[in-house]
Amino acid sequence: RKEVEQDPGPFNVPEGATVAFNCTYSNSASQSFFWYRQDCRKEPKLLMSVYSSGNEDGRFTAQLNRASQYISLLIRDSKLSDSATYLCVVNMNTGFQKLVFGTGTRLLVSP
Amino acid sequence: DAGITQSPRHKVTETGTPVTLRCHQTENHRYMYWYRQDPGHGLRLIHYSYGVKDTDKGEVSDGYSVSRSKTEDFLLTLESATSSQTSVYFCAIGTGTNQPQHFGDGTRLSIL
């Protein structure tokens, strides 16, 4: 089993739609979780950290489910500019900050 | 954006030649990392540094070495480049455990 797994997509949605991605992780001791966004041929950029209580930043909501070992990202009112690959990132809590990156979920928002 | 500069941004070289990539930060962060990104794989850690002259291996360290003589600079060296090292290389910096990392613009390296 991969340490971090994501559906590669692509998810094709129209502008204004709501879309959700899930990501599962293998290490139940993981302590910190992040969503990054990566545009084509660009560097990954931090979108948001994921807290135990869930957190929201504008149109983006991140949730953590420790019991089932997954995190989710919800995007409301999708914009064309949301088209990108979304990377799920998990700190494996190995005593050193080892971040494990998922391979990403590609989102395409169309007019 | 975090103050991270990678150089060069693009490089094409031949098998067997040595290659050095540079990462320079202006954030005074303790931790620095080198990753490679290839299709079908997530970012994979090559080497990391937790202080000046303190470095350790990541999951794909074979064929790579690193050095950190100053807080702001982290060098990645391919002693004798091979075609399997053709990739996009990202440098990242971080402040510590459980904190996110911030990435440089990347270096596209092609080994012919």
Side-chain angles (χ1 to χ4, degrees):
Chain A
R1 180 185 178 185
K2 286 186 178 180
E3 292 179 290
V4 176
E5 290 198 77
Q6 295 183 254
D7 181 342
F11 285 58
N12 289 283
V13 302
E15 273 187 293
T18 296
V19 61
F21 312 134
N22 281 345
C23 163
T24 59
Y25 60 94
S26 61
N27 187 348
S28 60
S30 296
Q31 293 295 319
S32 51
F33 310 87
F34 310 98
W35 284 103
Y36 279 72
R37 170 195 169 124
Q38 187 171 26
D39 293 290
C40 187
R41 301 177 72 84
K42 298 287 190 179
E43 77 277 17
K45 291 188 176 180
L46 179 67
L47 180 65
M48 58 198 308
S49 301
V50 186
Y51 303 119
S52 296
S53 56
N55 49 301
E56 186 174 313
D57 183 1
R59 298 181 293 109
F60 299 84
T61 300
Q63 300 240 313
L64 168 64
N65 185 317
R66 286 193 183 275
S68 300
Q69 293 181 214
Y70 76 85
I71 64 173
S72 63
L73 178 67
L74 180 78
I75 305 175
R76 291 181 298 278
D77 189 22
S78 297
K79 312 291 185 189
L80 295 176
S81 57
D82 294 333
S83 297
T85 297
Y86 291 84
L87 306 178
C88 169
V89 185
V90 179
N91 182 330
M92 287 294 161
N93 198 31
T94 56
F96 158 71
Q97 187 194 8
K98 179 189 174 186
L99 293 189
V100 177
F101 289 77
T103 52
T105 297
R106 191 169 175 211
L107 173 65
L108 299 173
V109 182
S110 54
Chain B
D1 288 345
I4 311 169
T5 305
Q6 289 187 232
S7 59
R9 294 293 311 280
H10 301 86
K11 186 173 182 67
V12 180
T13 190
E14 295 183 346
T15 300
T17 59
V19 177
T20 296
L21 308 183
R22 180 179 183 243
C23 178
H24 179 79
Q25 62 145 330
T26 58
E27 305 295 321
N28 200 33
H29 284 350
R30 177 182 176 188
Y31 296 91
M32 298 185 75
Y33 311 84
W34 277 107
Y35 292 89
R36 61 179 289 175
Q37 187 175 37
D38 304 288
H41 296 274
L43 283 146
R44 293 181 292 173
L45 183 65
I46 304 171
H47 281 279
Y48 63 93
S49 170
Y50 47 96
V52 173
K53 298 187 179 178
D54 292 323
T55 65
D56 208 345
K57 297 178 179 180
E59 63 180 300
V60 290
S61 60
D62 287 349
Y64 302 95
S65 62
V66 291
S67 65
R68 192 169 178 199
S69 59
K70 298 185 288 185
T71 298
E72 57 266 35
D73 290 325
F74 192 32
L75 304 180
L76 177 71
T77 297
L78 291 66
E79 301 290 349
S80 178
T82 67
S83 59
S84 64
Q85 294 175 312
T86 292
S87 187
V88 180
Y89 291 84
F90 287 104
C91 174
I93 63 175
T95 56
T97 303
N98 292 329
Q99 299 303 311
Q101 296 170 14
H102 299 280
F103 289 82
D105 292 342
T107 295
R108 294 188 175 275
L109 179 61
S110 295
I111 315 293
L112 305 179

